[in-house]
Amino acid sequence: MFLGGKKTGTVSSAIKCLSNKNLDSIVAMFMVFFQVPFGVLQRSAMEKWSLMTITVLLALTVRWTVSLGSYSGAGKPPMYGDYEAQRHWQEVTYNLPIRQWYFNTSDNDLLYWGLDYPPLTAYHSFLCAYIAKLINPDWIALHTSRGYESQPHKLFMRTTVFVADLLVYIPAVILYCFSLKETSTKKKVSSALCILLYPGLILIDHGHFQYNSVSLGFALWGVLGLSYDWDLLGSVAFCLALNYKQMELYHSLPFFCYLLGKCFKKGLKGKGLVLLTKIAGTVVVSFAVCWLPFCTDMAQIMQVLRRLFPIDRGLFEDKVANIWCSLSVLIKIKNIISPQTQLKLSFAVTFLSLLPTCIKLTVQPSLRGFKFALVSCALSFFLFSFQVHEKSILLVSVPVCLILNEIPFMATWFLLVSTFSMLPLLLKDGLLLPYAVTMLAFLSVCVASFSIFEKTSAEDLQLKPFSLSLKGYVSWFKSFPKIVRSLFLLSVTLMGVLSLASAAVPPPQRLPDLFPVSVSIISCLHFLLFLVYFNVVILWDSKNSRSQKKIS
């Protein structure tokens, strides 16, 4: 076998190339996975890829099983739900010229699921519509296809999500897990299994119905690019994520601060300036290509931006588990503060909450700090920013999946809470059974794979530097593992009881939103504690100061 012009001899030699940060690593990976017959593989390589193949097949089986259930707005006219929104976007993008996609016209009523995602989502909708037209033109017929529902169409729509997940998100997860350093093959496969079985993303994309795996997959490809020092490719991947869903802004500051800090370390009068110029040029070109059809007219660009950032929708929607919705139980913020003031307030609080993490990452750029910053910044945006949806917690959850192998106990806990926070939405869609089964399966797999209850010491939770700084002031750190385990069990029990009550117990007539509000407040309290925890880990992390020296 030849890799990069060099004879490697055996497949095992090719696999060893995976540890090198060069093109041969990816070439070897794809050759082994897609081209080399199993009979040629040596035993260790065969075992590794067999386990990963089984993991992927299991994840795909779970996804398809969930997709057999109900979806958002099924049989609920006149607006239906996100399923109809995605179908309607296919109808609009196929039948109307590009210049009308984001404008309100007689053929495009923006009040009926008007397109409000960036151009890459629109192009994806057009591609799906083109295939749908070949199968059954009635699915995307202009005007007459509104609210179209049938089993063949459901199969088609579910397949589009399935294929997008398989092509974008799942390969990124596999490659990320194999890129983990100082980790055994067993742990890499276990990490992939836990990430791919995370119930939140499965239930929203394959149950409720959305394409979050595309934008999150592109973001993960961006993380992979940066981890291999392919900064330009990582920048392109993240630009694709941002141009697919504007909510990827949750991850933008960690990408920006890490790359800027890397340029600073290289020196802004030498290699750092060259790298900064290349990255800036790459970002500009990536955006220009994505927005090219809309760049002919400034009115087009402004209309798209207005659709992407609708200020008039208010501070939050539904019963989202962030600080503003929780506070509104006591203080009706929407009634006493104008929308413009709400926007300014949320911006100020969000900026202040993520400022320490961004400063630390810029001054001490490291891949470890970058991954933790993705979590902390996304969580700050979710808790404090403007116009947050309950599904936006997925933007925090996927970065948490990236550190699952480092802090398995806290990561598992967070991922369970994040799925629980979307319970009212899932119950509305008739997804109680998939919710219960996937939650229990995910918890079981994490416990079996990582022995999470044995990973609760201050060192295991990355809190040793912080505990040393408090030594002599806080005596209960000795019993810290027992306290953390007790809190986890209490939390899981509370989530279980509230899930059963929400599904089986009718609320009082005077308090019809009792259970959704309770889920929101309890989840928000969890998220606030997690935000404090992640910031403590980041700000007291001594590993960042050591690993960032390698960048310079």
Side-chain angles (χ1 to χ4, degrees), residues 347-521:
F347 175 82
V349 177
T350 304
F351 177 77
L352 291 174
S353 67
L354 51 79
L355 187 60
T357 296
C358 291
I359 293 176
K360 177 73 179 288
L361 183 61
T362 305
V363 175
Q364 296 181 355
S366 70
L367 286 172
R368 172 185 161 80
F370 169 61
K371 289 188 287 187
F372 274 88
L374 285 172
V375 176
S376 177
C377 290
L379 188 52
S380 291
F381 269 103
F382 178 82
L383 284 171
F384 305 117
S385 66
F386 192 83
Q387 247 302 297
V388 176
H389 298 260
E390 62 269 65
K391 300 181 287 292
S392 298
I393 194 61
L394 298 177
L395 293 156
V396 191
S397 300
V398 170
V400 170
C401 289
L402 302 184
I403 56 176
L404 184 61
N405 65 306
E406 296 188 47
I407 46 169
F409 180 83
M410 295 300 285
T412 300
W413 192 355
F414 180 91
L415 294 172
L416 289 172
V417 176
S418 68
T419 306
F420 168 74
S421 70
M422 297 183 286
L423 177 63
L425 176 67
L426 299 173
L427 290 178
K428 189 186 301 182
D429 295 336
L431 296 171
L432 175 62
L433 181 59
Y435 162 81
V437 173
T438 54
M439 284 278 276
L440 291 173
F442 176 75
L443 177 59
S444 301
V445 170
C446 289
V447 171
S449 300
F450 292 102
S451 304
I452 60 173
F453 293 112
E454 300 174 9
K455 305 285 182 64
T456 55
S457 66
E459 186 173 2
D460 290 324
L461 300 180
Q462 311 291 329
L463 291 174
K464 190 173 182 179
F466 178 68
S467 65
L468 291 176
S469 67
L470 295 181
K471 194 173 182 179
Y473 298 96
V474 181
S475 59
W476 50 263
F477 254 105
K478 294 182 179 179
S479 57
F480 184 72
K482 185 177 180 180
I483 295 174
V484 171
R485 285 194 295 267
S486 300
L487 290 174
F488 175 83
L489 294 175
L490 177 63
S491 170
V492 171
T493 302
L494 182 60
M495 287 188 289
V497 170
L498 197 50
S499 296
L500 289 174
S502 300
V505 179
Q509 291 184 351
R510 292 186 304 165
L511 301 171
D513 294 328
L514 174 63
F515 295 127
V517 169
S518 300
V519 170
S520 172
I521 294 175

Side-chain angles (χ1 to χ4, degrees), residues 53-302:
T53 302
I54 293 172
T55 297
V56 173
L57 290 175
L58 178 60
L60 292 176
T61 301
V62 173
R63 281 160 166 74
W64 193 254
T65 303
V66 170
S67 72
L68 297 176
S70 182
Y71 51 83
S72 172
K76 297 178 181 177
M79 292 300 291
Y80 300 92
D82 278 343
Y83 177 94
E84 168 62 10
Q86 299 290 342
R87 189 217 58 78
H88 181 63
W89 293 351
Q90 294 175 19
E91 171 194 345
V92 168
T93 54
Y94 188 85
N95 291 288
L96 300 180
I98 291 181
R99 64 179 180 273
Q100 295 184 23
W101 285 0
Y102 291 92
F103 279 89
N104 191 60
T105 66
S106 58
D107 291 326
N108 185 22
D109 182 5
L110 294 182
L111 295 179
Y112 183 81
W113 299 116
L115 187 59
D116 55 3
Y117 279 175
L120 214 57
T121 289
Y123 305 149
H124 181 209
S125 297
F126 176 81
L127 176 62
C128 293
Y130 183 84
I131 300 173
K133 179 76 172 181
L134 298 176
I135 301 173
N136 188 342
D138 292 340
W139 293 349
I140 57 165
L142 190 62
H143 301 309
T144 60
S145 62
R146 278 198 180 188
Y148 191 100
E149 292 180 299
S150 69
Q151 281 301 317
H153 184 252
K154 176 186 174 182
L155 177 62
F156 167 76
M157 294 290 281
R158 292 297 198 191
T159 303
T160 61
V161 179
F162 190 83
V163 171
D165 204 346
L166 183 60
L167 293 179
V168 181
Y169 182 75
I170 292 178
V173 170
I174 296 171
L175 294 182
Y176 173 79
C177 292
F178 273 121
S179 73
L180 295 174
K181 299 178 181 178
E182 300 177 2
T183 307
S184 64
T185 298
K186 180 182 177 182
K187 288 298 181 184
K188 290 178 180 179
V189 174
S190 298
S191 297
L193 180 61
C194 292
I195 294 173
L196 292 177
L197 290 184
Y198 166 57
L201 185 58
I202 295 175
L203 292 169
I204 293 300
D205 275 17
H206 300 271
H208 174 83
F209 198 89
Q210 280 193 336
Y211 295 94
N212 293 288
S213 59
V214 178
S215 58
L216 293 171
F218 281 137
L220 187 47
W221 280 107
V223 174
L224 271 170
L226 269 55
S227 68
Y228 279 99
D229 286 331
W230 297 340
D231 298 325
L232 300 185
L233 290 177
S235 300
V236 170
F238 183 67
C239 287
L240 293 177
L242 195 54
N243 280 285
Y244 192 89
K245 282 199 174 184
Q246 65 270 36
M247 285 79 77
E248 278 297 327
L249 283 169
Y250 284 31
H251 300 146
S252 58
L253 282 175
F255 272 90
F256 174 78
C257 293
Y258 173 76
L259 291 172
L260 182 63
K262 191 172 182 178
C263 293
F264 284 155
K265 290 299 176 183
K266 290 180 178 291
L268 284 182
K269 293 184 179 180
K271 293 182 179 180
L273 180 60
V274 174
L275 178 59
L276 183 61
T277 304
K278 288 181 178 179
I279 293 172
T282 299
V283 171
V284 170
V285 171
S286 299
F287 269 81
V289 171
C290 290
W291 285 70
L292 188 60
F294 303 93
C295 292
T296 56
D297 185 4
M298 182 57 67
Q300 281 277 344
I301 297 176
M302 295 308 299

Side-chain angles (χ1 to χ4, degrees), residues 327-342:
L327 285 177
S328 67
V329 176
L330 301 175
I331 306 172
K332 301 303 180 182
I333 301 175
K334 287 185 175 182
N335 297 335
I336 61 177
I337 301 178
S338 67
Q340 290 295 333
T341 305
Q342 294 173 27

